[in-house]
Amino acid sequence: MLGTIIGDVVGSIYEPRHHHIKTKDFLLFSSNSHVTDDTVMSCAVAEALYSYKQTKKINLFKVELVNSMRKFGNAYPHAGYGRAFKKWLQENHPKPYGSYGNGSAMRVSPVAYVADCLQEAEELAKASAEVTHNHPEGIKGAQAVVSCIFLARKGKNKQKIKSYIESNYYKLDFSLDEIRPHYKFDVSCQGSVPQAIVAFLESLNFEDAIRNAISIGGDSDTIAAIAGGIAEAYYGIPDHLKHEGLKYVSEGLIGDAYKHFIHYCPAYSEIYSMNTKACETSSKELAEDADKDLLNAFRGSLVGGAVGDALGYAVEFMSLDAIRSTYGENGITRYNLSQGKALISDDTQMTLFTANGLLLGITRGMTRGIMGDIEDYVYGCYKDWLATQYGTNVDFNYSWLYHVRELHSTRAPGNTCLSALQSGDMGTLEKPINHSKGCGGVMRVAPVGLYCPRRWDRTETVLIGAKVAAITHGHPLGFIPAAALSDIISQIVYGESADLKEIVRESTKFIVSVFKQYSKVEDFERIMELAVSLSEQDIKEDQAIKQLGEGWVAEEALAIAVYCCLKHSNDFAAAVVAAVNHDGDSDSTGAITGNIIGSFLGYTAIPNKFLERLELKDIIIEIAEDLYHDCKISEYTPLSSQSEFEWEAKYINCQSIH
């Protein structure tokens, strides 16, 4: 929010048309700098949001917002309001007046810090705009700005932010250098919000974003306020600029509102106090951001899967009626703890052993110069998992996870997985071990989608997902959904699109093309199309899930997960809660949903209530980070760091370091 204020103040002396500049070389602050309506109304929004934070009632927020805006507007009557808004302030019962001006976008930044998820932020932004700017473009501008700020504060990189805006709001297919010579004063949302967002996207640091925004001319205070609000969430604000900006809100109504906002909104307090980051070059910045985003996705996918698994494990064999009778009308929404822990099931156990197998194989190849098929190493780790389920000792273990005491726990393992691994034979695509299409093959392959695209192409990655599932599940609908889950996650993490629905649709087509020799792929395609279609319809979630099945078989489990993720693509908690509250295999549908939505939103989007007391959380994060960091040792270089010695212990000697 302070970023919005600083942008407003810096731009205030360059906003009048005869003072427009077309350069980044200008004085930031002068004796004539001042706050305008951008700051005044942002503080009004911040004050009104307090009631929403207490009650979560949007209608009450809109009433409070009207009152707050009128109070602030009349306290600062010369802040530079537009003609229509000035008239609105003077009315006894003000009504929205159909504006698409950028007033809705300039004041929205506080919303991004009160909302718990992107969907809530967009709904609040809509509400904040509607009291005055109820034209679709006025609402769109506010939602686009708040989306940028929310994604930035959640650690998303610039490419992800840009992709989301282009998929949902505006095309950003221009550069500032291209538009600077001819860009003119424009107070519409559609004529200034995209420009403000590009000013941020092209910036190297907070100050550079402000300079970018003002350098194109136009409605300088508002464009800089918008760019500054986004840049604050992304970079933080340097102390000297923070100190200078606070001078303009040190007293009066806006100062009180700003101080109150910091006090009651912990999410903003965190941004306000964070250290700034500056980048020497844009390429370095993008590389660092991509790394951060990638690690966030790795952690999010594996921990998210464990969260869905643990939430659903308590109700796996209960009907929806029984779940609601036990936990209330909304079903199970919080962990049912056992001895103070949220227990994971065989789904997460086998997911961890899958990851261990992938890293075991790659490490062998890099340190010995030769390796077998990657699924062979996964199979070896699965035999270790089998031993943990029966409490048997092994003469030679393939995984360091075998030494983790907590994993020697039987958590309702699937009979197909047990019998297939007990047989002594390894199932393959060419020689199926059985005709099972149970969900035990798909619920464990998320690590394939996270890791394998780094070393194999897309086709080979999905085939590895299928082969890993086929170790125990020989029916085409037992391994094709596993290939699909691998591909969906890989496209979320490494693909260009930020639109989950687009990813699912394109992935379905790709899987059909890869597995076209199997007639059952048509059944897979139909249920995936149904899942997407249901997510677009306004029907009760339990009724939609009932149309997809109960999730005991792989294609149903994946379809239910896809439906829940698409229905709640911006809300991790809502997605996993929907995925476990039905008549079927709740832990598996919850786990797959968590894998997908966790990779899409990242670890930082998982609410603390689901991170606290999650069994083996530290081990799950360790495996996720090992997948992310990958093997750094080889047969030609001696070990030289503690991390390399630990890697040798885990993935060569198969010993735990704990």
Side-chain angles (χ1 to χ4, degrees):
M1 183 177 168
L2 183 58
T4 298
I5 295 168
I6 292 173
D8 175 39
V9 170
V10 173
S12 63
I13 60 174
Y14 303 108
E15 187 269 341
R17 300 189 185 193
H18 58 285
H19 288 156
H20 287 171
I21 57 175
K22 297 283 187 176
T23 176
K24 292 173 66 173
D25 185 13
F26 56 83
L27 186 67
L28 284 178
F29 299 97
S30 79
S31 58
N32 293 321
S33 299
H34 58 279
V35 297
T36 76
D37 54 333
D38 302 54
T39 293
V40 174
M41 288 301 123
S42 293
C43 289
V45 172
E47 182 185 77
L49 282 167
Y50 180 70
S51 65
Y52 176 79
K53 188 170 176 60
Q54 302 297 110
T55 65
K56 291 293 183 179
K57 294 180 179 180
I58 284 187
N59 287 337
L60 177 60
F61 163 62
K62 293 174 75 171
V63 172
E64 292 291 330
L65 180 57
V66 170
N67 293 334
S68 181
M69 288 168 65
R70 294 182 69 204
K71 179 176 75 172
F72 278 70
N74 290 310
Y76 298 88
H78 306 298
Y81 309 109
R83 185 181 305 165
F85 185 77
K86 190 178 292 185
K87 181 180 178 182
W88 182 89
L89 286 174
Q90 296 169 352
E91 293 177 354
N92 291 327
H93 302 287
K95 302 293 183 183
Y97 47 91
S99 175
Y100 52 79
N102 55 25
S104 60
M106 73 185 189
R107 69 192 186 215
V108 78
S109 64
V111 165
Y113 299 97
V114 172
D116 294 324
C117 67
L118 182 54
Q119 183 178 6
E120 183 183 13
E122 290 171 316
E123 290 173 354
L124 270 175
K126 180 175 183 288
S128 75
E130 284 177 332
V131 297
T132 53
H133 296 58
N134 58 337
H135 188 283
E137 289 292 343
I139 294 169
K140 181 179 176 181
Q143 290 182 312
V145 172
V146 87
S147 297
C148 289
I149 298 174
F150 187 90
L151 292 170
R153 84 171 183 87
K154 287 295 185 180
K156 299 300 182 183
N157 65 35
K158 288 182 179 178
Q159 184 56 50
K160 292 286 188 182
I161 295 171
K162 181 181 180 182
S163 295
Y164 187 80
I165 296 303
E166 290 199 313
S167 296
N168 294 277
Y169 296 108
Y170 303 111
K171 287 297 181 186
L172 304 175
D173 54 353
F174 60 88
S175 69
L176 297 185
D177 286 343
E178 289 171 344
I179 69 170
R180 188 176 287 110
H182 57 80
Y183 182 73
K184 296 180 180 180
F185 189 86
D186 190 333
V187 297
S188 70
C189 276
Q190 58 271 39
S192 58
V193 171
Q195 290 75 13
I197 295 172
V198 171
F200 155 71
L201 292 173
E202 291 189 10
S203 66
L204 300 178
N205 50 51
F206 175 82
E207 181 178 330
D208 196 47
I210 301 297
R211 292 187 180 277
N212 278 345
I214 292 172
S215 74
I216 62 173
D219 192 2
S220 296
D221 59 338
T222 295
I223 296 175
I226 293 170
I230 304 169
E232 177 186 20
Y234 189 81
Y235 297 111
I237 303 175
D239 286 341
H240 70 283
L241 292 180
K242 190 181 297 183
H243 176 73
E244 191 67 31
L246 287 173
K247 292 179 181 178
Y248 295 88
V249 290
S250 59
E251 298 177 356
L253 196 59
I254 57 175
D256 291 342
Y258 181 73
K259 293 170 188 174
H260 186 218
F261 187 62
I262 295 177
H263 176 73
Y264 82 74
C265 187
Y268 181 69
S269 298
E270 182 179 343
I271 293 292
Y272 173 80
S273 60
M274 82 176 186
N275 294 324
T276 58
K277 65 176 181 179
C279 305
E280 294 178 2
T281 65
S282 58
S283 60
K284 179 182 177 183
E285 177 198 22
L286 289 173
E288 290 175 350
D289 284 342
D291 286 345
K292 180 178 69 173
D293 213 41
L294 194 63
L295 180 56
N296 196 28
F298 274 56
R299 290 171 174 160
S301 186
L302 293 197
V303 175
V307 168
D309 177 27
L311 187 66
Y313 181 49
V315 297
E316 179 182 9
F317 300 108
M318 296 172 64
S319 68
L320 180 58
D321 287 343
I323 295 172
R324 288 173 172 169
S325 175
T326 304
Y327 297 98
E329 185 59 31
N330 293 326
I332 187 168
T333 60
R334 290 182 174 272
Y335 290 139
N336 183 351
L337 301 177
S338 175
Q339 296 182 341
K341 293 182 179 180
L343 301 182
I344 59 171
S345 81
D346 61 317
D347 299 48
T348 300
Q349 290 176 344
M350 295 196 75
T351 299
L352 295 176
F353 280 92
T354 300
N356 198 145
L358 296 175
L359 294 174
L360 173 71
I362 289 300
T363 302
R364 179 182 175 87
M366 292 186 67
T367 57
R368 298 189 181 183
I370 187 172
M371 64 177 283
D373 294 329
I374 192 68
E375 62 270 20
D376 292 341
Y377 300 96
V378 176
Y379 175 57
C381 290
Y382 285 169
K383 289 194 289 187
D384 283 356
W385 170 79
L386 181 68
T388 68
Q389 300 303 290
Y390 287 102
T392 56
N393 295 321
V394 295
D395 295 328
F396 175 83
N397 61 282
Y398 293 84
S399 64
W400 69 269
L401 290 172
Y402 174 78
H403 299 287
V404 177
R405 178 179 55 82
E406 292 89 344
L407 285 170
H408 288 254
S409 302
T410 302
R411 302 286 171 74
N415 289 329
T416 299
C417 290
L418 294 176
S419 61
L421 294 172
Q422 284 175 321
S423 72
D425 294 324
M426 173 180 158
T428 66
L429 298 180
E430 296 75 22
K431 294 183 178 180
I433 195 168
N434 53 36
H435 296 289
S436 174
K437 64 171 186 172
C439 65
V442 65
M443 53 75 165
R444 65 188 192 225
V445 299
V448 174
L450 294 171
Y451 179 76
C452 291
R454 291 173 147 189
R455 296 184 175 274
W456 290 274
D457 65 21
R458 186 178 183 185
T459 299
E460 191 58 36
T461 293
V462 302
L463 288 173
I464 291 171
K467 290 173 182 177
V468 166
I471 291 172
T472 56
H473 290 70
H475 192 285
L477 289 179
F479 56 75
I480 289 175
L485 178 60
S486 302
D487 191 59
I488 290 170
I489 290 176
S490 74
Q491 294 309 300
I492 289 172
V493 176
Y494 300 100
E496 292 298 320
S497 177
D499 187 305
L500 187 57
K501 188 180 298 182
E502 180 183 338
I503 290 171
V504 170
R505 282 176 166 158
E506 196 278 329
S507 179
T508 300
K509 292 178 182 177
F510 181 72
I511 293 297
V512 170
S513 69
V514 173
F515 294 94
K516 59 187 176 185
Q517 70 270 36
Y518 297 99
S519 61
K520 293 297 182 181
V521 77
E522 296 177 358
D523 295 335
F524 163 78
E525 183 178 24
R526 277 193 292 270
I527 198 167
M528 291 294 283
E529 290 175 347
L530 178 59
V532 173
S533 174
L534 288 169
S535 74
E536 298 171 333
Q537 299 176 36
D538 186 19
I539 59 177
K540 291 184 178 180
E541 291 173 359
D542 58 335
Q543 295 302 312
I545 291 174
K546 188 170 292 187
Q547 293 186 51
L548 295 170
E550 296 185 350
W552 300 108
V553 294
E555 75 273 23
E556 292 180 2
L558 180 61
I560 291 170
V562 163
Y563 164 79
C564 294
C565 290
L566 292 180
K567 198 69 176 176
H568 303 285
S569 61
N570 295 319
D571 189 336
F572 177 91
V576 295
V577 166
V580 302
N581 283 287
H582 58 88
D583 290 324
D585 193 358
S586 296
D587 60 343
S588 294
T589 53
I592 299 167
T593 300
N595 291 146
I596 296 172
I597 201 69
S599 63
F600 186 66
L601 297 178
Y603 179 77
T604 53
I606 302 176
N608 284 333
K609 71 174 184 178
F610 289 130
L611 298 176
E612 296 170 352
R613 302 188 180 185
L614 177 63
E615 185 184 28
L616 290 178
K617 182 185 72 174
D618 292 343
I619 294 292
I620 298 166
I621 290 176
E622 181 176 345
I623 283 283
E625 292 178 350
D626 284 352
L627 287 170
Y628 166 77
H629 290 296
D630 205 357
C631 179
K632 297 294 192 298
I633 59 179
S634 75
E635 59 181 320
Y636 303 109
T637 57
L639 303 180
S640 59
S641 67
Q642 182 63 30
S643 63
E644 290 176 350
F645 282 107
E646 291 178 354
W647 193 277
E648 178 188 51
K650 290 194 289 186
Y651 298 110
I652 295 178
N653 300 327
C654 305
Q655 296 295 318
S656 174
I657 61 172
H658 299 281

